[in-house]
Tab-separated table of all heavy atoms in Angstrom:
chain	number	residue	atom	x	y	z
I	725	HIS	N	39.217	141.729	-208.852
I	725	HIS	CA	37.920	142.345	-209.093
I	725	HIS	C	37.877	143.691	-208.383
I	725	HIS	O	38.506	143.852	-207.359
I	725	HIS	CB	36.783	141.485	-208.560
I	725	HIS	CG	36.659	140.133	-209.224
I	725	HIS	ND1	35.930	139.973	-210.369
I	725	HIS	CD2	37.214	138.929	-208.910
I	725	HIS	CE1	36.020	138.695	-210.743
I	725	HIS	NE2	36.787	138.047	-209.909
I	726	PRO	N	37.205	144.678	-208.911
I	726	PRO	CA	37.076	145.960	-208.228
I	726	PRO	C	36.460	145.741	-206.860
I	726	PRO	O	35.529	144.940	-206.684
I	726	PRO	CB	36.127	146.786	-209.125
I	726	PRO	CG	36.216	146.142	-210.470
I	726	PRO	CD	36.437	144.695	-210.189
I	727	LYS	N	36.982	146.395	-205.821
I	727	LYS	CA	36.476	146.241	-204.431
I	727	LYS	C	35.569	147.416	-204.048
I	727	LYS	O	35.945	148.571	-204.208
I	727	LYS	CB	37.669	146.146	-203.452
I	727	LYS	CG	38.608	144.983	-203.794
I	727	LYS	CD	37.889	143.663	-203.715
I	727	LYS	CE	38.886	142.503	-204.061
I	727	LYS	NZ	38.220	141.196	-204.075
I	728	LYS	N	34.393	147.028	-203.680
I	728	LYS	CA	33.332	148.041	-203.328
I	728	LYS	C	32.882	147.926	-201.882
I	728	LYS	O	32.333	148.936	-201.298
I	728	LYS	CB	32.106	147.891	-204.214
I	728	LYS	CG	32.420	148.096	-205.696
I	728	LYS	CD	31.210	147.720	-206.525
I	728	LYS	CE	29.950	148.518	-206.206
I	728	LYS	NZ	28.829	148.168	-207.043
I	729	GLN	N	33.052	146.796	-201.288
I	729	GLN	CA	32.518	146.527	-199.932
I	729	GLN	C	33.558	145.978	-198.995
I	729	GLN	O	34.490	145.310	-199.427
I	729	GLN	CB	31.326	145.571	-199.997
I	729	GLN	CG	30.154	146.031	-200.849
I	729	GLN	CD	29.031	145.049	-200.869
I	729	GLN	OE1	29.252	143.807	-200.949
I	729	GLN	NE2	27.797	145.511	-200.768
I	730	ILE	N	33.375	146.250	-197.694
I	730	ILE	CA	34.148	145.610	-196.642
I	730	ILE	C	33.157	144.985	-195.651
I	730	ILE	O	32.225	145.666	-195.238
I	730	ILE	CB	35.070	146.663	-195.875
I	730	ILE	CG1	35.973	147.323	-196.859
I	730	ILE	CG2	35.799	146.016	-194.732
I	730	ILE	CD1	36.751	148.552	-196.278
I	731	TYR	N	33.414	143.733	-195.322
I	731	TYR	CA	32.522	143.021	-194.350
I	731	TYR	C	33.275	142.711	-193.040
I	731	TYR	O	34.425	142.219	-193.163
I	731	TYR	CB	31.976	141.737	-194.966
I	731	TYR	CG	30.844	142.008	-195.917
I	731	TYR	CD1	31.127	142.224	-197.281
I	731	TYR	CD2	29.519	142.040	-195.537
I	731	TYR	CE1	30.085	142.472	-198.205
I	731	TYR	CE2	28.503	142.298	-196.431
I	731	TYR	CZ	28.796	142.475	-197.734
I	731	TYR	OH	27.769	142.762	-198.625
I	732	LEU	N	32.642	143.041	-191.944
I	732	LEU	CA	33.227	142.738	-190.648
I	732	LEU	C	32.683	141.431	-190.094
I	732	LEU	O	31.473	141.214	-190.003
I	732	LEU	CB	32.945	143.854	-189.644
I	732	LEU	CG	33.406	145.238	-190.097
I	732	LEU	CD1	32.999	146.284	-189.092
I	732	LEU	CD2	34.901	145.292	-190.417
I	733	HIS	N	33.569	140.530	-189.726
I	733	HIS	CA	33.215	139.196	-189.202
I	733	HIS	C	33.929	138.982	-187.867
I	733	HIS	O	34.890	139.680	-187.561
I	733	HIS	CB	33.716	138.051	-190.157
I	733	HIS	CG	33.314	138.056	-191.530
I	733	HIS	ND1	32.308	137.204	-191.992
I	733	HIS	CD2	33.752	138.738	-192.596
I	733	HIS	CE1	32.151	137.403	-193.310
I	733	HIS	NE2	33.016	138.310	-193.698
I	734	HIS	N	33.376	138.018	-187.108
I	734	HIS	CA	34.298	137.461	-186.082
I	734	HIS	C	34.308	135.942	-186.239
I	734	HIS	O	33.368	135.330	-186.774
I	734	HIS	CB	33.888	137.894	-184.608
I	734	HIS	CG	32.500	137.515	-184.150
I	734	HIS	ND1	31.677	138.401	-183.524
I	734	HIS	CD2	31.866	136.330	-184.199
I	734	HIS	CE1	30.557	137.770	-183.223
I	734	HIS	NE2	30.651	136.517	-183.582
I	735	THR	N	35.357	135.314	-185.723
I	735	THR	CA	35.652	133.927	-186.017
I	735	THR	C	34.725	132.934	-185.286
I	735	THR	O	34.603	131.742	-185.716
I	735	THR	CB	37.106	133.597	-185.704
I	735	THR	OG1	37.311	133.905	-184.290
I	735	THR	CG2	38.074	134.324	-186.539
I	736	ALA	N	34.181	133.311	-184.140
I	736	ALA	CA	33.525	132.367	-183.253
I	736	ALA	C	34.566	131.286	-182.822
I	736	ALA	O	34.307	130.113	-182.780
I	736	ALA	CB	32.305	131.725	-183.815
I	737	GLY	N	35.809	131.767	-182.612
I	737	GLY	CA	36.875	130.905	-182.212
I	737	GLY	C	37.849	131.561	-181.281
I	737	GLY	O	37.579	132.647	-180.767
I	738	ASN	N	39.034	131.008	-181.133
I	738	ASN	CA	39.990	131.525	-180.168
I	738	ASN	C	40.675	132.714	-180.705
I	738	ASN	O	40.370	133.232	-181.787
I	738	ASN	CB	40.990	130.395	-179.750
I	738	ASN	CG	41.856	129.952	-180.882
I	738	ASN	OD1	42.189	130.686	-181.811
I	738	ASN	ND2	42.188	128.639	-180.839
I	739	ALA	N	41.654	133.222	-179.946
I	739	ALA	CA	42.294	134.562	-180.241
I	739	ALA	C	43.381	134.491	-181.260
I	739	ALA	O	43.914	135.535	-181.603
I	739	ALA	CB	42.796	135.089	-178.914
I	740	ASP	N	43.749	133.364	-181.768
I	740	ASP	CA	44.947	133.204	-182.593
I	740	ASP	C	44.644	133.481	-184.076
I	740	ASP	O	44.082	132.593	-184.787
I	740	ASP	CB	45.448	131.790	-182.416
I	740	ASP	CG	46.800	131.560	-183.089
I	740	ASP	OD1	47.315	132.454	-183.813
I	740	ASP	OD2	47.405	130.480	-182.887
I	741	GLY	N	45.078	134.630	-184.542
I	741	GLY	CA	44.877	134.970	-185.956
I	741	GLY	C	45.630	134.117	-186.901
I	741	GLY	O	45.160	133.721	-187.959
I	742	GLU	N	46.932	133.822	-186.579
I	742	GLU	CA	47.706	132.989	-187.428
I	742	GLU	C	47.174	131.541	-187.443
I	742	GLU	O	47.137	130.900	-188.500
I	742	GLU	CB	49.202	132.993	-186.966
I	742	GLU	CG	49.888	134.316	-187.182
I	742	GLU	CD	51.381	134.192	-186.966
I	742	GLU	OE1	51.912	133.021	-186.894
I	742	GLU	OE2	52.027	135.248	-186.842
I	743	GLY	N	46.740	131.062	-186.304
I	743	GLY	CA	46.118	129.742	-186.258
I	743	GLY	C	44.874	129.639	-187.095
I	743	GLY	O	44.604	128.552	-187.664
I	744	THR	N	44.118	130.713	-187.199
I	744	THR	CA	42.908	130.689	-187.985
I	744	THR	C	43.237	130.454	-189.432
I	744	THR	O	42.623	129.652	-190.158
I	744	THR	CB	42.128	132.046	-187.854
I	744	THR	OG1	41.750	132.209	-186.522
I	744	THR	CG2	40.921	132.028	-188.739
I	745	PHE	N	44.319	131.105	-189.961
I	745	PHE	CA	44.694	130.903	-191.322
I	745	PHE	C	45.282	129.501	-191.565
I	745	PHE	O	45.086	128.935	-192.612
I	745	PHE	CB	45.739	131.966	-191.749
I	745	PHE	CG	45.077	133.189	-192.278
I	745	PHE	CD1	45.210	134.415	-191.632
I	745	PHE	CD2	44.281	133.179	-193.442
I	745	PHE	CE1	44.563	135.547	-192.122
I	745	PHE	CE2	43.683	134.310	-193.910
I	745	PHE	CZ	43.838	135.511	-193.239
I	746	LYS	N	45.958	128.941	-190.542
I	746	LYS	CA	46.506	127.635	-190.694
I	746	LYS	C	45.360	126.619	-190.875
I	746	LYS	O	45.395	125.671	-191.670
I	746	LYS	CB	47.385	127.239	-189.482
I	746	LYS	CG	48.696	127.998	-189.460
I	746	LYS	CD	49.495	127.640	-188.203
I	746	LYS	CE	50.771	128.402	-188.155
I	746	LYS	NZ	51.539	128.107	-186.887
I	747	TYR	N	44.283	126.821	-190.074
I	747	TYR	CA	43.109	125.985	-190.197
I	747	TYR	C	42.483	126.116	-191.606
I	747	TYR	O	42.183	125.083	-192.261
I	747	TYR	CB	42.076	126.340	-189.119
I	747	TYR	CG	40.730	125.690	-189.341
I	747	TYR	CD1	40.506	124.321	-189.034
I	747	TYR	CD2	39.658	126.414	-189.826
I	747	TYR	CE1	39.312	123.706	-189.232
I	747	TYR	CE2	38.418	125.783	-190.068
I	747	TYR	CZ	38.283	124.465	-189.747
I	747	TYR	OH	37.064	123.867	-189.935
I	748	TRP	N	42.265	127.332	-192.056
I	748	TRP	CA	41.720	127.557	-193.381
I	748	TRP	C	42.618	126.912	-194.466
I	748	TRP	O	42.094	126.422	-195.440
I	748	TRP	CB	41.524	128.999	-193.640
I	748	TRP	CG	40.354	129.645	-192.892
I	748	TRP	CD1	39.211	128.988	-192.479
I	748	TRP	CD2	40.188	131.010	-192.562
I	748	TRP	NE1	38.384	129.893	-191.859
I	748	TRP	CE2	38.930	131.112	-191.880
I	748	TRP	CE3	40.975	132.135	-192.699
I	748	TRP	CZ2	38.487	132.346	-191.436
I	748	TRP	CZ3	40.502	133.370	-192.228
I	748	TRP	CH2	39.253	133.449	-191.601
I	749	GLY	N	43.894	127.035	-194.257
I	749	GLY	CA	44.811	126.538	-195.313
I	749	GLY	C	44.773	124.994	-195.454
I	749	GLY	O	45.225	124.489	-196.482
I	750	ASN	N	44.229	124.354	-194.501
I	750	ASN	CA	44.189	122.882	-194.558
I	750	ASN	C	42.775	122.313	-194.973
I	750	ASN	O	42.647	121.102	-195.036
I	750	ASN	CB	44.542	122.297	-193.151
I	750	ASN	CG	45.997	122.548	-192.818
I	750	ASN	OD1	46.843	122.469	-193.712
I	750	ASN	ND2	46.275	122.744	-191.558
I	751	ASN	N	41.841	123.215	-195.158
I	751	ASN	CA	40.470	122.685	-195.419
I	751	ASN	C	40.130	122.563	-196.887
I	751	ASN	O	39.124	122.032	-197.274
I	751	ASN	CB	39.375	123.468	-194.708
I	751	ASN	CG	39.288	124.895	-195.153
I	751	ASN	OD1	39.777	125.311	-196.229
I	751	ASN	ND2	38.658	125.756	-194.329
I	752	ASN	N	40.970	123.171	-197.796
I	752	ASN	CA	40.802	123.099	-199.216
I	752	ASN	C	39.452	123.595	-199.731
I	752	ASN	O	38.979	123.206	-200.793
I	752	ASN	CB	40.994	121.606	-199.711
I	752	ASN	CG	42.380	121.097	-199.485
I	752	ASN	OD1	43.339	121.821	-199.698
I	752	ASN	ND2	42.481	119.865	-198.970
I	753	GLU	N	38.773	124.487	-199.014
I	753	GLU	CA	37.508	124.996	-199.385
I	753	GLU	C	37.532	126.421	-199.920
I	753	GLU	O	36.507	126.925	-200.350
I	753	GLU	CB	36.539	124.917	-198.161
I	753	GLU	CG	36.246	123.509	-197.747
I	753	GLU	CD	35.384	123.461	-196.505
I	753	GLU	OE1	35.130	124.554	-195.926
I	753	GLU	OE2	34.920	122.361	-196.117
I	754	ARG	N	38.667	127.096	-199.905
I	754	ARG	CA	38.772	128.492	-200.300
I	754	ARG	C	37.832	129.340	-199.537
I	754	ARG	O	37.207	130.230	-200.087
I	754	ARG	CB	38.566	128.582	-201.828
I	754	ARG	CG	39.687	127.908	-202.614
I	754	ARG	CD	39.593	128.212	-204.143
I	754	ARG	NE	40.653	127.527	-204.826
I	754	ARG	CZ	40.881	127.605	-206.128
I	754	ARG	NH1	40.100	128.402	-206.872
I	754	ARG	NH2	41.853	126.933	-206.714
I	755	VAL	N	37.653	129.029	-198.288
I	755	VAL	CA	36.860	129.832	-197.361
I	755	VAL	C	37.820	130.597	-196.436
I	755	VAL	O	38.576	129.970	-195.702
I	755	VAL	CB	35.925	128.944	-196.525
I	755	VAL	CG1	35.168	129.807	-195.541
I	755	VAL	CG2	34.896	128.266	-197.425
I	756	ALA	N	37.804	131.893	-196.533
I	756	ALA	CA	38.707	132.682	-195.714
I	756	ALA	C	38.346	134.181	-195.843
I	756	ALA	O	37.582	134.582	-196.769
I	756	ALA	CB	40.159	132.473	-196.151
I	757	THR	N	38.889	134.989	-194.958
I	757	THR	CA	38.819	136.425	-195.131
I	757	THR	C	40.218	136.870	-195.489
I	757	THR	O	41.226	136.186	-195.223
I	757	THR	CB	38.357	137.139	-193.868
I	757	THR	OG1	39.122	136.721	-192.751
I	757	THR	CG2	36.864	136.833	-193.612
I	758	CYS	N	40.325	138.066	-195.991
I	758	CYS	CA	41.617	138.653	-196.381
I	758	CYS	C	42.581	138.734	-195.158
I	758	CYS	O	43.754	138.394	-195.284
I	758	CYS	CB	41.452	139.994	-197.007
I	758	CYS	SG	42.947	140.835	-197.395
I	759	VAL	N	42.021	139.182	-194.046
I	759	VAL	CA	42.852	139.360	-192.852
I	759	VAL	C	42.126	138.764	-191.633
I	759	VAL	O	40.901	138.667	-191.619
I	759	VAL	CB	43.155	140.788	-192.567
I	759	VAL	CG1	43.965	141.443	-193.701
I	759	VAL	CG2	41.927	141.629	-192.279
I	760	THR	N	42.900	138.449	-190.569
I	760	THR	CA	42.344	138.160	-189.254
I	760	THR	C	42.979	139.157	-188.316
I	760	THR	O	44.056	139.744	-188.600
I	760	THR	CB	42.694	136.770	-188.799
I	760	THR	OG1	44.124	136.586	-188.755
I	760	THR	CG2	42.064	135.706	-189.715
I	761	ILE	N	42.333	139.429	-187.193
I	761	ILE	CA	42.873	140.291	-186.159
I	761	ILE	C	42.953	139.546	-184.850
I	761	ILE	O	41.920	139.146	-184.260
I	761	ILE	CB	42.065	141.563	-185.996
I	761	ILE	CG1	41.932	142.350	-187.344
I	761	ILE	CG2	42.645	142.472	-184.900
I	761	ILE	CD1	41.086	143.565	-187.255
């Protein structure tokens, strides 16, 4: 889809960006952001 907006979030979690994606990858909800920092 054409991209028009960028949203800034924080995880309310620990510092591990890779760990955040591992958690999202296991929840089967398609809830995620494009990147973590």
Side-chain angles (χ1 to χ4, degrees):
H725 297 272
K727 301 301 178 181
K728 297 172 58 180
Q729 299 180 319
I730 300 170
Y731 284 89
L732 305 178
H733 302 258
H734 63 225
T735 56
N738 64 33
D740 187 354
E742 289 191 16
T744 300
F745 273 115
K746 288 178 182 177
Y747 169 76
W748 284 335
N750 290 326
N751 65 16
N752 296 318
E753 295 177 352
R754 295 188 180 182
V755 175
T757 53
C758 174
V759 300
T760 60
I761 302 178

